[in-house]
Amino acid sequence: DVLINKIAAGEVVERPASVVKELVENSIDAGSRTVRVALEKGGLGRITISDDGHGMGMEDARLCLERHATSKLRELDDLFTINTKGFRGEALPAIASVSRFTLHTAEPGAQVGTKVVVEGGSEALVEEAPPRVGTVISVEDLFYNTPARRKFMRRESTELQHAEEAVIRLALAHPDVAFFVEHGGQQLFTSPASPGDPRERIAAALGPGVHPHLVPVEERRLGVSVTGHIASPEYTLPNARGIYTFVNRRYIRDRGLNSAIQRAFQEFLAAGRQPVVVLFIDVDPRAVDVNVHPQKQEVRFADGKGVGDTVHAAISRALRAAPW
Ligand code: ADP
Ligand code: MG
């Protein structure tokens, strides 16, 4: 099983950012209001995620480190209708097989909590611990026992950028949850919950300068809903990572969507600028296959053209209606 977990780790755990993504997704799934991410050495030294979600009892805390024991994927049909982010039940065992892994959790109101320690996929050490609100997971020395993978890691600053980007993508999709990211004790990203005005979260994620340039996008047709914000075409980001697309609240990259967005901007403004776009595309879960990519950043639409056309129409209309 250690070997199987390590193989799974090869697919799921590519770098510190993948660990951050999986753990923060779990925290969101657990109904957390606040998620804190603390990193050391670009996440290669340590990744600590603490949340205030519903936590786990001792049995679940033990089981969540067993491959597929907790998978929410019960029937093949669920693939298409699953609503929570995780569904494979393999992220935690995979992460724990390639790191020194510690979990401390408790259920709300419980008298005792649970601590679980796994070293490079060793058998889990489970013991009682003080109660706490929510869960804290610490992942140390990632890939210490898989030197081949470890060698592929980039500079700490690069790994850190990827890890922060992973949080930003989740933060954009969950404005009702507060996120804090620090590295070596320094705050990198601070975003209190902003359920009222999504522009505040976008400004926290992409830079405060974008706020006054944002206009809403809204289009619904044929079972496709497109909502979100775009910035005026004159506003560009220094780092040019301006397009964020989410399908059913999951960050995804899709060529068809990107080209629909680029086309709409080019038609509006001859000069090609890198657009700033945060777009939520919501479709019937049965009309999209999210299971194409192990890290779920790619999807396959039943009607890709229809979705692309709706996105194009949505952006075009927002560009024409905006006051610039
Ligand atoms: P999946 O998310 O696919 O179920 P994971 O390996 O990511 O698989 O997580 C296994 C299980 O552990 C989850 O389904 C959940 O029940 C539990 N779990 C993981 N992280 C947390 C957390 N932060 N709070 C509460 N429960 C958690
Ligand atoms: Mg998960």
Side-chain angles (χ1 to χ4, degrees), residues 79-83 221-225 247-248 281-290 300-303 307:
L79 265 180
F80 302 99
T81 50
I82 203 85
N83 267 323
R221 52 157 94 158
L222 297 172
V224 183
S225 146
V247 173
N248 295 349
I281 297 123
D282 291 292
V283 298
D284 184 328
R286 285 166 301 191
V288 56
D289 182 357
V290 297
R300 199 174 288 139
F301 294 106
D303 177 17
V307 174

Side-chain angles (χ1 to χ4, degrees), residues 12 22-32 49-57 60-61 63-74 84-95 101 103-106 134-137 296:
V12 181
E22 294 292 338
L23 298 184
V24 172
E25 281 184 352
N26 283 347
S27 293
I28 294 169
D29 280 349
S32 304
I49 315 272
S50 18
D51 69 43
D52 57 358
H54 57 56
M56 285 175 272
D60 282 348
L63 279 174
C64 78
L65 283 147
E66 278 174 31
R67 189 174 156 78
H68 292 308
T70 56
S71 177
K72 293 160 202 148
L73 181 60
R74 300 266 141 72
T84 50
K85 305 210 165 299
F87 55 84
R88 296 150 307 156
E90 64 181 30
L92 293 187
I95 292 165
F101 179 100
L103 175 155
H104 180 188
T105 189
T135 302
V136 55
I137 290 179
K296 294 178 285 178

Side-chain angles (χ1 to χ4, degrees), residues 116-138:
V116 183
V117 179
V118 178
E119 286 250 342
S122 69
E123 195 173 334
L125 215 98
V126 184
E127 57 188 36
E128 284 191 357
R132 57 158 285 135
V133 175
T135 302
V136 55
I137 290 179
S138 160

Side-chain angles (χ1 to χ4, degrees), residues 43-308:
L44 290 162
R46 186 181 346 197
I47 297 166
T48 309
I49 315 272
S50 18
D51 69 43
D52 57 358
H54 57 56
M56 285 175 272
M58 186 175 269
E59 196 47 33
D60 282 348
R62 181 198 312 277
L63 279 174
C64 78
L65 283 147
E66 278 174 31
R67 189 174 156 78
H68 292 308
T70 56
S71 177
K72 293 160 202 148
L73 181 60
R74 300 266 141 72
E75 294 169 39
L76 199 58
D77 224 32
D78 287 350
L79 265 180
F80 302 99
T81 50
I82 203 85
N83 267 323
T84 50
K85 305 210 165 299
F87 55 84
R88 296 150 307 156
E90 64 181 30
L92 293 187
I95 292 165
S97 74
V98 292
S99 67
R100 302 182 217 279
F101 179 100
T102 316
L103 175 155
H104 180 188
T105 189
E107 287 177 310
Q111 297 298 304
V112 291
T114 305
K115 195 176 156 188
V116 183
V117 179
V118 178
E119 286 250 342
S122 69
E123 195 173 334
L125 215 98
V126 184
E127 57 188 36
E128 284 191 357
R132 57 158 285 135
V133 175
T135 302
V136 55
I137 290 179
S138 160
V139 174
E140 279 179 72
D141 301 332
L142 187 63
F143 303 132
Y144 80 94
N145 58 348
T146 51
R149 176 57 64 105
R150 176 90 192 192
K151 264 197 298 211
F152 276 97
M153 294 305 108
R154 304 294 186 80
R155 281 182 296 157
E156 284 174 13
S157 59
T158 307
E159 294 305 330
L160 178 61
Q161 267 176 21
H162 284 281
E164 193 184 359
E165 184 65 17
V167 180
I168 281 172
R169 290 168 184 173
L170 287 161
L172 284 170
H174 298 277
D176 48 334
V177 179
F179 292 90
F180 300 92
V181 182
E182 59 168 67
H183 182 246
Q186 300 251 80
Q187 283 293 332
L188 283 188
F189 176 67
T190 300
S191 186
S194 56
D197 183 0
R199 290 176 305 174
E200 284 168 20
R201 177 52 55 86
I202 296 170
L206 305 188
V210 74
H211 196 291
H213 299 275
L214 292 168
V215 296
V217 176
E218 188 156 5
E219 187 86 28
R220 274 167 235 276
R221 52 157 94 158
L222 297 172
V224 183
S225 146
V226 178
T227 57
H229 286 81
I230 57 174
S232 64
E234 305 84 61
Y235 182 83
T236 49
L237 283 170
N239 57 10
R241 279 181 313 204
I243 299 184
Y244 290 86
T245 45
F246 300 83
V247 173
N248 295 349
R249 294 278 149 175
R250 276 197 190 106
Y251 176 83
I252 63 114
R253 302 168 88 125
D254 183 83
R255 280 177 141 201
L257 291 182
N258 276 338
S259 76
I261 291 166
Q262 299 281 7
R263 232 177 338 115
F265 271 85
Q266 274 155 20
E267 286 160 9
F268 183 80
L269 192 85
R273 287 283 193 116
Q274 175 67 21
V276 176
V277 174
V278 177
L279 220 54
F280 298 99
I281 297 123
D282 291 292
V283 298
D284 184 328
R286 285 166 301 191
V288 56
D289 182 357
V290 297
N291 215 24
V292 178
H293 190 276
Q295 289 180 49
K296 294 178 285 178
Q297 284 189 4
E298 286 168 26
V299 295
R300 199 174 288 139
F301 294 106
D303 177 17
K305 181 165 187 313
V307 174

